[in-house]
Amino acid sequence: MSATSVLNPPQREAIRYLDGPLLVLAGAGSGKTRVITEKIVYLIESCGFSPDNIAAITFTNKAAREMQERVSKRLVGKPSRGLTISTFHALGVRILREEAGVLGYKPSFSILDATDCFGIVSELAGSADKLAIRKLQSLISNWKSALVSPDLARKKARNESEILAANAFASYSATLQAYQAVDFDDLIALPVALFENHPAVRDKWQNRLRYLLIDEYQDTNASQYQLLRLLAGARAAFTAVGDDDQAIYGWRGADIANLRGLPRDYPNLKLIKLEQNYRSTVRILKAANALISHNEKLFDKKLWSELGHGDPITVHVCQDKEKEAESVVMKLQAHRFQHQGAFRDYAILYRGNFQARAVEKFLRQQRVPYLLSGGQSFFEKAEIKDITSYLRLLANQDDDPAFLRAIGTPRRGVGSSTLQALGSYAGERRISLFAAACEQGFVPRVQARQLAPLLEFCAFIERLKARAGCKPAGQVITALLTAIAYEAWLYDQDDARTAQIKWGNVQEFCDWLSRKGDEDRKTLLDLAQTIALINRLDEQDADIDAVRLSTLHAAKGLEFKHVFLIGIEEGVLPHRDAETENRTEEERRLMYVGITRAQRSLHLSYAEKRQQGREVVPCQASRFIAEMGSDDLRFSGGRSETAPDRMANAERFSALKAMLNKGK
């Protein structure tokens, strides 16, 4: 039996349609990933497409990996070499590496992360105000995502502060160019500029990538949409998969108008709806459909399921957030015991990270294992990345991002003008920044006072590398921290408490490196050569039997047998700023995403009062609860508990008691 024979009719139609541009409106749990992977297989096996002419574009590395694994399983023993399955940013890197010369970059240009860019913006602005710098950084990012150039930003400026911001944007762009570096926004914006200004290059890529499949289309921003349009060209051979009901990233530039604009930009667009849900019970979907019906609809769609009616949705009213957290943990434990489930079957979801603290406390008290999604990895902390930049440079002196970070953390008297001159020279010579600093040809480019600290830094790295190749790892890392006076620098940068925490993290990291060196009999240089793999450690948590704690945003794309949605109150969900910022519909979609994560059971809760600062304020149930309809909701707690609910609780308790007695 072929794989397509078990697909439903709309899925089969979506896979086989090749007569023009296609929009697949895929509801939550409707098998969109399967449709994309099966279409890739269909294009290769049945339509004669070469794998290197196909590109599937996702938003996350996790989604790309999952899709790659599925396709590989389906194409066992068949040619798949050259197939592109990647994120938007990874595709952007590929295009830019190949076409770097056209834009005046060397192929080995650096990609700077947000922390690296923060330092550049801070220096250009001449300010130590972190909040102001982050706002400016966010504004520059929004400009780039909207394809606004520094010149256009200047023209649009309405007051002095906007003019200053536009000037900072221009200086920032020039600095990155001089450093032979790009930021994450450039990975999309630069390929767009490349294709718009160089038709021959655009034609080359259109002929190379002859069929495009785009996942989560509703999450594209202006620059991503334009990149796709330029890649698709007049041929418009693409399948876009999206769901307007799950557009929840407007705050980071995603524009649902891109979905609305598809029928306008492609008049012959074919629309296929995937409405059969393979994830959730009828009751859960009925509540989700009722909720989302209160939004203005781009496309009419209604999810349905053959997985049975399922349990009623519970709504528990709690006295305060502490009682809510305690109640959720106790109910989760009782439910797990009753159904003999695993911890990994459960998720506790919330609007903001602050809501996790109380829940974490009770989970720890009850010794319930849990994983926190959306939190910062230890290896992503700024202070750890500072130290690893030195280690990366020891392992590879051609690592330009590591060079830029290390030379500026702490500062060594090497200013931005020196680095700009170095970047320009390295670009001309097509060599790394480290190599360029050591060439005689660079000497006339800067003054002697500028050159001296640069050469001293390079000499320091060479000396450290020599020691790192033969001395114990712990001894060398201690010498490094002492030489750069990193602890003192932290206390100069931050308040005492923050600096203490950061220094503690650095010490923990260095202790780990020292132990690793002793246990594995490896030098610091040996360890440095594998340092890039370290930050992958936190990705290995998929098989851990633990309750998942996650924001609603971070939970998108995931599913769990049992879901607890907490803090469903006015001011939390929808967020208090939603009405004034005209984002109520996006908040409703966020609630919809939370509901549709649940496969078998859904449990909502909210508090009657919450602590805000020093005062206790009364809370109201979110309007979204009433919008779900009352037929399938069962309330308990607070003033709203009904007799049937108390009876149901008593029945559950009796069942638990019987199970316990049985085990004696």
Side-chain angles (χ1 to χ4, degrees), residues 93-107:
V93 170
R94 180 182 161 194
I95 294 167
L96 290 177
R97 293 283 186 216
E98 192 167 322
E99 311 296 346
V102 181
L103 292 168
Y105 285 87
K106 60 182 183 180

Side-chain angles (χ1 to χ4, degrees), residues 202-500:
R202 181 180 67 233
D203 291 347
K204 180 178 100 176
W205 282 90
Q206 285 179 356
N207 286 321
R208 182 180 296 179
L209 303 179
R210 299 182 68 82
Y211 200 93
L212 304 175
L213 301 105
I214 307 100
D215 193 15
E216 305 287 7
Y217 190 81
Q218 76 281 348
D219 294 334
T220 55
N221 61 27
S223 58
Q224 289 160 341
Y225 182 60
Q226 187 61 6
L227 178 62
L228 291 170
R229 288 201 69 192
L230 289 164
L231 274 171
R235 192 186 301 115
F238 67 78
T239 294
V241 182
D243 183 7
D244 52 328
D245 292 334
Q246 297 188 74
I248 60 173
Y249 295 116
W251 52 276
R252 70 180 189 195
D255 192 351
I256 197 170
N258 292 341
L259 204 56
R260 190 184 291 113
L262 267 180
R264 180 196 65 229
D265 295 333
Y266 300 96
N268 62 332
L269 181 77
K270 171 81 169 176
L271 175 65
I272 296 174
K273 299 176 188 177
L274 303 184
E275 296 173 294
Q276 183 174 359
N277 176 286
Y278 294 93
R279 176 185 298 160
S280 308
T281 62
V282 171
R283 271 186 163 129
I284 292 169
L285 294 182
K286 186 179 170 187
N289 286 331
L291 171 75
I292 208 65
S293 70
H294 290 80
N295 271 8
E296 183 185 346
K297 303 292 283 184
L298 291 185
F299 307 96
D300 191 39
K301 172 173 56 62
K302 203 164 190 177
L303 296 180
W304 59 276
S305 170
E306 293 180 340
L307 296 177
H309 214 51
D311 297 335
I313 297 165
T314 68
V315 183
H316 191 64
V317 187
C318 307
Q319 187 179 335
D320 53 37
K321 70 174 184 181
E322 293 291 319
K323 294 290 185 188
E324 181 184 33
E326 183 179 18
S327 168
V328 164
V329 173
M330 299 312 288
K331 283 177 180 291
L332 187 153
Q333 292 223 84
H335 191 279
R336 178 179 164 270
F337 183 75
Q338 188 178 354
H339 293 84
Q340 297 294 292
F343 286 115
R344 68 166 67 88
D345 296 336
Y346 294 82
I348 302 172
L349 309 181
Y350 36 82
R351 174 64 176 81
N353 280 308
F354 70 93
Q355 294 169 269
R357 294 179 199 130
V359 178
E360 282 192 87
K361 184 176 86 174
F362 283 101
L363 286 169
R364 285 196 297 268
Q365 282 180 6
Q366 295 296 316
R367 297 185 178 179
V368 175
Y370 68 91
L371 288 170
L372 195 63
S373 292
Q376 190 184 37
S377 156
F378 180 79
F379 297 99
E380 286 297 307
K381 294 181 185 295
E383 60 273 20
I384 304 303
K385 292 177 83 169
D386 287 344
I387 306 307
T388 56
S389 69
Y390 283 89
L391 303 185
R392 285 165 52 195
L393 203 53
L394 293 181
N396 176 18
Q397 292 180 347
D398 292 335
D399 188 336
D400 284 350
F403 178 93
L404 287 169
R405 189 169 192 129
I407 204 165
T409 316
R411 284 265 173 219
R412 286 190 160 68
V414 181
S416 60
S417 60
T418 307
L419 290 173
Q420 284 185 30
L422 183 64
S424 296
Y425 179 78
E428 291 167 18
R429 294 274 295 117
R430 294 183 175 265
I431 56 177
S432 70
L433 296 172
F434 193 102
C438 301
E439 284 200 352
Q440 276 298 118
F442 176 64
V443 174
R445 300 288 185 100
V446 291
Q447 297 177 15
R449 60 179 178 80
Q450 292 174 293
L451 185 63
L454 186 63
L455 292 178
E456 173 48 37
F457 172 76
C458 293
F460 168 69
I461 295 297
E462 291 283 13
R463 290 195 302 272
L464 195 67
K465 185 177 179 179
R467 291 185 67 186
C470 58
K471 301 287 185 183
Q475 186 180 318
V476 181
I477 197 74
T478 302
L480 164 64
L481 293 172
T482 304
I484 65 175
Y486 190 75
E487 183 182 9
W489 182 80
L490 282 176
Y491 279 91
D492 285 343
Q493 296 296 304
D494 292 295
D495 62 84
R497 176 162 169 73
T498 304
Q500 187 181 14

Side-chain angles (χ1 to χ4, degrees), residues 529-577:
Q529 287 164 344
T530 59
I531 205 76
L533 301 174
I534 289 175
N535 61 7
R536 293 182 178 270
L537 294 178
D538 61 324
E539 294 179 5
Q540 309 302 315
D541 61 19
D543 296 326
I544 295 174
D545 188 25
V547 175
R548 179 75 67 169
L549 268 61
S550 173
T551 63
L552 289 164
H553 285 101
K556 187 167 174 286
L558 304 177
E559 58 185 35
F560 306 92
K561 284 183 181 177
H562 312 287
V563 169
F564 288 79
L565 288 181
I566 67 172
I568 313 300
E569 300 147 23
E570 289 292 311
V572 179
L573 186 67
H575 192 273
R576 67 178 63 86
D577 298 333

Side-chain angles (χ1 to χ4, degrees), residues 188-207:
I188 311 297
L190 286 176
V192 168
L194 177 74
F195 290 160
E196 286 179 339
N197 299 320
H198 301 276
V201 177
R202 181 180 67 233
D203 291 347
K204 180 178 100 176
W205 282 90
Q206 285 179 356
N207 286 321

Side-chain angles (χ1 to χ4, degrees), residues 493-527:
Q493 296 296 304
D494 292 295
D495 62 84
R497 176 162 169 73
T498 304
Q500 187 181 14
I501 292 168
K502 287 184 175 182
W503 180 241
N505 290 335
V506 169
Q507 287 179 307
E508 183 184 338
F509 179 53
C510 294
D511 288 346
W512 179 83
L513 282 171
S514 183
R515 283 197 311 275
K516 192 84 175 153
D518 291 343
E519 290 167 6
D520 298 350
R521 296 186 178 181
K522 287 184 174 179
T523 65
L524 188 62
L525 192 59
D526 296 328
L527 295 172

